[in-house]
Structures are given as structure tokens and as C-alpha cells.
Amino acid sequence: MRLSIWPGAGQSFADVLEVSRHAEATGWAGVWFADHFMPNTGPGEDDTWPVLECGSVVAALAAVVPRVRIGTLVYGMTYRHPAVLANMAATVDRISDGRFVLGVGAGWQINEHQQYGIELPPIKQRIDRFVEGLLVLRGLLNDPRTTVDGRYYQVTDAVNEPKPVQRPMPLLIGAKGEKRMLRVVAEHADEWNCWGRPDLVAHKSAVLDEHCAAVGRDPRAIKRTAQALVVVDGPVPADGPPVIGGSPARLAEDVAAYAEIGLDELIVPDGLLGTGAERLKAMDVIRGIV
């Protein structure tokens, strides 16, 4: 099972770079970065703390952090036109010499769409548009020319050069919806990602296997990745995103549970690992377990 780090976007690039370089130097497999423009807040909540832009960060990391995979969790298709995104992704793959993973999703965060005047359609329409966008992405990343005459996207005899170093470049889809989105994963993805503790990930993975059978695809062709917040030594928050650990021994049990369900890659957000030397020490503890 691979181990990767996910530096939070609400910190300085110097801190992101410190975490990424430490991961590279100590044997981690990858560095992932989120694609948002502001914190996920509701009306009246503070939305002014800074958030680094994903495309710029992954290009910078691809240039200055060697060896590890660099990936996005995940580009939102609602505000990333797939033709432009294909061009961006191919360039980052070139900068990294073939280490980029293009993670995409259908889009979801309400406040960034509202503030920037970007439409966030109802879920059905959002998924329909996402599927069309995947056709554009796949075509432009792999074929000499691409034509898609869809309801939401129209590209005509379109080129995207240079192509990525990787042929094909891995396409990751972030999804948890069991009825439609996991079927989209079965039809289009090379890798799949979701938040969750081992029991939830196992359930979602089994649903994905069912969709693979329905569309005639070998489920082993899709790599499984997941993340949860990690506490190395301390109290585990009762609310919020899923959390694993609490002590090194308990963390080892949780990691073993992920391995037992066949997870290919465990991604560790750095949000509960502290800062500076404390965070690097926590990373070393985690690396010693995985």
C-alpha cells in the first residue's frame, strides 16, 4: 500500500514545500493538493483565510520535488473547462517527467461558485456535464484530434500538444455516490478516491466492483485510494471528517485495516499533524507504520 501526503492549501507555499520535500526524502509515494479557491464556509462565516490555487501549486511541486507522484484532489469540472484542463495536465506531466495524476470531480463547494458567479447545476445535470467533460479530457490527452459535440461541451477537431509523457496519464475520479458517480468511475477512471475509514471505503469499493461487473470492466484495473485525517498521538475529534489513529498503536491497526481491504494508496492530510518540526516528526511516525 502506497503512502502519500496531502498538504493543506491554507498554509504558505514554503510550508507546503517543506512537507513535500520531507515526504520525498523519507520514502513517501506522492503529494496531493486540493482544488478550491476559498475555505468551505457558510453564510456569515469567516471565508477570508488564504487558500493557494491548485494548478499553480502542482506545477511548482512538479518542478522542484523529484521522484514522488504529484496529484490533484480533485479539480472541479464546473470551473475547470476540460479542454483547458487537458492542456494544463499535459504540461504538468511534462514538467514532472511523467509523475502527474489528474484527479477530477463533478464540483460541489457552494460558496466558491456563488462568489465567482459560476453555475453549480443540480446534481443530475452536474454529473451529465462531468461525463461529457471526461470525454473531452480523454480525447485531448490521448488522441491526435478530438471532436465532442455534446450538450455542455463542444470541441471540434481539437489538438492538445505536447501530449503527456505518460500514455495514458492516470485519470483519478473522486466519488462516493453509489448510484451514478461510482458507475462513472467504473466506466472512465484509472484510479478512484474517497474519504472514509476502512469500513466505509470497503463498502464503497464493493459497490464499485458491482458497477465494474455491469460495464464489463476488470475491477482490478482501477486503483483504490482513500484518506482520513490522522492523529498520531492525542485525542481524536468527535465531529468533522473521518479520523484514524489517536495513538501509534491504534494508527497501526487502522492502517492494517486499509491494507486488508485492498487499498492501493493511503493519503494523509496534514491538518492534524501540527506544524514545523512537530509535523515532520509525525510524518516519520506514520512512515514507520505504513
Side-chain angles (χ1 to χ4, degrees):
M1 186 172 65
R2 296 191 301 258
L3 177 68
S4 293
I5 193 72
W6 180 354
Q11 58 188 314
S12 71
F13 181 70
D15 287 339
V16 171
L17 187 57
E18 178 184 54
V19 168
S20 302
R21 282 178 165 163
H22 188 75
E24 189 280 328
T26 55
W28 294 57
V31 177
W32 297 85
F33 207 77
D35 183 37
H36 291 292
F37 304 120
M38 61 193 68
N40 180 29
T41 57
E45 297 178 336
D46 181 18
D47 58 5
T48 60
W49 48 277
V51 171
L52 297 175
E53 191 277 322
C54 180
S56 306
V57 170
V58 295
L61 293 177
V64 300
V65 179
R67 188 186 61 78
V68 295
R69 301 204 309 166
I70 307 291
T72 54
L73 285 176
V74 286
Y75 278 129
M77 195 76 80
T78 49
Y79 47 76
R80 303 283 188 180
H81 190 287
V84 178
L85 184 55
N87 199 291
M88 294 168 59
T91 296
V92 174
D93 199 52
R94 287 276 167 175
I95 293 170
S96 70
D97 194 24
R99 294 181 289 121
F100 186 58
V101 182
L102 175 57
V104 292
W108 62 272
Q109 188 169 307
I110 295 172
N111 62 339
E112 59 192 353
H113 291 82
Q114 289 179 336
Q115 290 192 24
Y116 288 179
I118 299 171
E119 181 186 12
L120 184 64
I123 292 177
K124 181 183 183 306
Q125 180 182 339
R126 204 182 314 164
I127 297 174
D128 291 344
R129 187 162 73 174
F130 180 63
V131 171
E132 280 191 14
L134 293 174
L135 300 178
V136 175
L137 276 177
R138 280 292 198 195
L140 288 172
L141 290 171
N142 295 295
D143 301 332
R145 290 183 179 272
T146 297
T147 295
V148 174
D149 185 16
R151 178 178 178 184
Y152 304 102
Y153 298 110
Q154 299 83 38
V155 296
T156 305
D157 204 24
V159 299
N160 177 36
E161 297 293 343
K163 290 286 190 287
V165 172
Q166 301 175 89
R167 303 295 296 274
M169 187 177 68
L171 178 67
L172 176 146
I173 295 177
K176 62 181 181 180
E178 297 183 9
K179 183 176 180 180
R180 287 203 64 195
M181 281 299 291
L182 287 178
R183 187 177 184 90
V184 172
V185 173
E187 292 172 336
H188 295 280
D190 303 302
E191 303 187 20
W192 163 64
N193 176 265
C194 78
W195 280 88
R197 289 180 51 82
D199 54 347
L200 177 66
V201 176
H203 169 72
K204 299 289 185 181
S205 187
V207 175
L208 176 56
D209 289 348
E210 293 173 0
H211 284 299
C212 286
V215 302
R217 189 168 183 202
D218 184 351
R220 294 172 297 181
I222 303 173
K223 301 299 183 184
R224 317 296 167 104
T225 76
Q227 62 277 342
L229 294 173
V230 173
V231 174
V232 172
D233 190 9
V236 174
D239 300 319
V243 184
I244 59 174
S247 68
R250 181 57 188 270
L251 180 58
E253 292 175 1
D254 289 332
V255 168
Y258 281 118
E260 288 172 5
I261 66 170
L263 192 71
D264 293 290
E265 183 169 354
L266 176 62
I267 300 171
V268 177
D270 71 351
L272 298 183
L273 301 184
T275 59
E278 178 188 7
R279 174 165 51 188
L280 303 186
K281 181 179 179 180
M283 290 176 62
D284 290 342
V285 173
I286 298 166
R287 182 69 186 95
I289 292 172
V290 182

